[in-house]
């Protein structure tokens, strides 16, 4: 059993949920244990009480109460996790790219990246089936929302994880998302710069989390608001009713793409949280459903990622095929992947 510790949140660890920070530092401590320690006030940040979903920032000090030793936890059979054969087959089928340092997955829509309240099946847990001969499971270096599909990178060693985390933090990677959005954004290409602020009162433990857009001129005056920037390009439009857009998150805030597109009046199809559940809004906006044969699932996909390999130094580009519900929509709307550039922003750089 360890004693009380006070640990500083490093630059690499900032802007994430407390429970996720805790699990990365102490992977042998369960989510249930973390939630219990928060409720009892045993875990504190800068001296104040916190919730598991509270976000920690670089430089903050976290009080960590006495914890059981890792060896003690491992001795308990209940603490051992095993990925079922079916889940192992599922997650292994998602592998797009693999070498000795990196694994890239095409994360399915509906599968959380990490565990949380009510989430006991997620990529981080299933990564036990992605060791492929190594002793340790691969580590997450970024995340995708539960309902967003597409390219997700994992590092196979601690050193590579540190390098990839730095690359994401320093924006040395390029991520392009594809989405179907209501209406037709104008102009055809643009940049959205609304800041983002977490809405109050959306679940004691972070469930139903939602972000509010703040006008760029008001961000610095708004406590806890963070600047956010998204580039977009319309790739195809269908009668002004629905458009295929490419999105680049210049910053990486929670729900950034979803909140930004809704704020400019063009919510992502299937996004009930930010776009409403109707087929249209009377007034100046659209709803997030198209009706008919179009799926009600979120139409947001992390299409590709480009980065410098952290070990070989070579340029690495990974592309993920559309999930089934988006592929069906593309077919219904007669949108063809071969008709659009891989990076519509490239000529502007």
């Amino acid at each position: 059993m360890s004693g009380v510790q006070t640990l500083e949140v490093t630059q690499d660890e900032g802007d994430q949920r407390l429970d996720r920070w805790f699990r990365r530092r102490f992977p042998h401590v369960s989510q249930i244990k973390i939630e219990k320690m928060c409720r009892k006030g045993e875990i504190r940040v800068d001296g104040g009480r916190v919730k598991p979903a509270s976000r920690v920032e670089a430089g903050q000090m976290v009080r960590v109460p006495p914890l059981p030793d890792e060896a003690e936890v491992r001795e308990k059979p209940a603490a051992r996790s095993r990925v079922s054969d079916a889940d192992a087959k599922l997650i292994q089928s998602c592998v797009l790219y693999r070498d000795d340092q990196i694994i890239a997955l095409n994360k399915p829509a509906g599968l959380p990246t990490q565990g949380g309240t009510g989430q006991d099946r997620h990529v981080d847990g299933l990564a036990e089936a992605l060791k492929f001969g190594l002793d340790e499971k691969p580590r997450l270096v970024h995340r995708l929302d539960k309902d967003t599909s597409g390219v997700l990178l994992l590092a196979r060693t601690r050193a590579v994880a540190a390098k990839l985390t730095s690359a994401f933090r320093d924006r040395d990677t390029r991520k392009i998302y594809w989405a179907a959005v209501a209406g037709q954004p104008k102009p055809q290409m643009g940049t959205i710069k609304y800041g983002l602020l977490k809405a109050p009162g959306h679940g004691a433990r972070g469930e139903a989390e939602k972000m509010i857009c703040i006008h760029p001129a008001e961000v610095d005056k708004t406590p806890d608001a963070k600047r956010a920037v998204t580039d977009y390009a319309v790739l195809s439009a269908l009668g002004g009713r629905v458009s295929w857009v490419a999105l680049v998150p210049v910053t990486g805030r929670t729900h950034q793409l979803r909140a930004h597109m809704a704020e400019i009046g063009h919510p992502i199809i299937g996004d009930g949280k930010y776009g409403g559940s109707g087929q249209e809004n009377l007034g100046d906006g659209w709803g997030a459903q198209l009706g008919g044969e179009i799926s009600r699932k979120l139409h947001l996909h992390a299409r590709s990622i480009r980065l410098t390999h952290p070990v070989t130094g070579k340029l690495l580009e990974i592309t993920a095929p559309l999930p089934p519900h988006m592929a069906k929509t593309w077919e219904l709307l007669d949108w063809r992947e071969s008709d659009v550039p891989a990076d519509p922003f490239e000529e502007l750089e």
Side-chain angles (χ1 to χ4, degrees), residues 81-328:
S81 62
R82 181 182 180 276
V83 179
S84 70
D85 291 342
D87 280 344
K89 184 176 181 180
L90 165 70
I91 200 67
Q92 289 171 3
S93 72
C94 296
V95 174
L96 294 168
Y97 173 87
R98 184 181 112 205
D99 61 27
D100 291 340
Q101 290 81 35
I102 296 174
I103 291 177
L105 303 178
N106 184 8
K107 187 189 83 66
L111 180 65
T113 302
Q114 293 176 294
T117 303
Q119 304 290 353
D120 55 6
R121 182 171 177 267
H122 45 81
V123 173
D124 194 29
L126 299 183
E128 288 285 346
L130 298 175
K131 292 180 179 178
F132 296 116
L134 298 187
D135 293 334
E136 297 184 22
K137 73 174 186 179
R139 297 169 168 82
L140 292 165
V141 293
H142 67 125
R143 62 184 295 272
L144 295 175
D145 289 344
K146 174 184 175 182
D147 295 321
T148 301
S149 59
V151 182
L152 183 69
L153 293 186
L154 297 91
R156 303 191 70 188
T157 68
R158 187 180 300 275
V160 169
K163 291 180 179 180
L164 288 177
T165 299
S166 295
F168 279 102
R169 183 190 65 238
D170 299 336
R171 302 175 192 171
D172 291 334
T173 62
R174 182 164 183 78
K175 293 182 286 184
I176 295 179
Y177 289 70
W178 278 359
V181 305
Q184 182 176 350
K186 294 180 180 179
Q188 291 287 100
M189 300 185 75
T191 299
I192 307 167
K193 296 183 178 181
Y194 284 96
L196 294 173
L197 175 68
K198 184 178 179 181
H202 282 273
R205 299 180 182 177
E207 59 270 31
E209 184 176 41
K210 188 171 182 178
M211 308 304 287
I212 300 172
C213 284
I214 306 295
H215 191 278
E218 300 298 320
V219 173
D220 291 339
K221 307 173 189 176
T222 307
D224 300 323
K226 296 179 180 179
R227 293 199 174 275
V229 179
T230 299
D231 291 333
Y232 75 86
V234 177
L235 302 179
S236 182
L238 191 63
R241 182 65 185 92
V242 59
S243 298
W244 171 7
V245 299
L247 301 166
V248 171
V250 179
T251 54
R253 308 301 185 192
T254 300
H255 295 176
Q256 176 178 315
L257 302 181
R258 298 165 63 184
H260 271 178
M261 294 311 297
E263 185 65 20
I264 66 170
H266 303 284
I268 296 173
I269 300 302
D271 193 350
K273 175 174 287 191
Y274 288 96
S277 58
Q279 293 187 38
E280 65 178 316
N281 282 328
L282 297 178
D284 60 358
W286 295 89
Q289 302 299 339
L290 292 178
E293 297 182 53
I294 304 298
S295 171
R296 296 177 66 88
K297 292 182 179 179
L298 184 69
H299 284 57
L300 179 61
H301 178 67
R303 170 65 174 177
S304 65
I305 190 166
R306 185 173 68 207
L307 71 155
T308 300
H309 195 285
V311 176
T312 67
K314 294 182 179 179
L315 183 66
L316 186 62
E317 297 188 61
I318 301 168
T319 301
L322 289 169
H325 72 281
M326 288 182 66
K328 182 178 179 181

Side-chain angles (χ1 to χ4, degrees), residues 37-45 47-51 54:
M37 290 187 293
C38 285
R39 286 197 302 271
K40 295 173 68 175
E42 295 175 342
I43 299 176
R44 291 177 178 259
V45 175
R49 297 177 73 99
V50 286
K51 298 175 181 178
S54 299

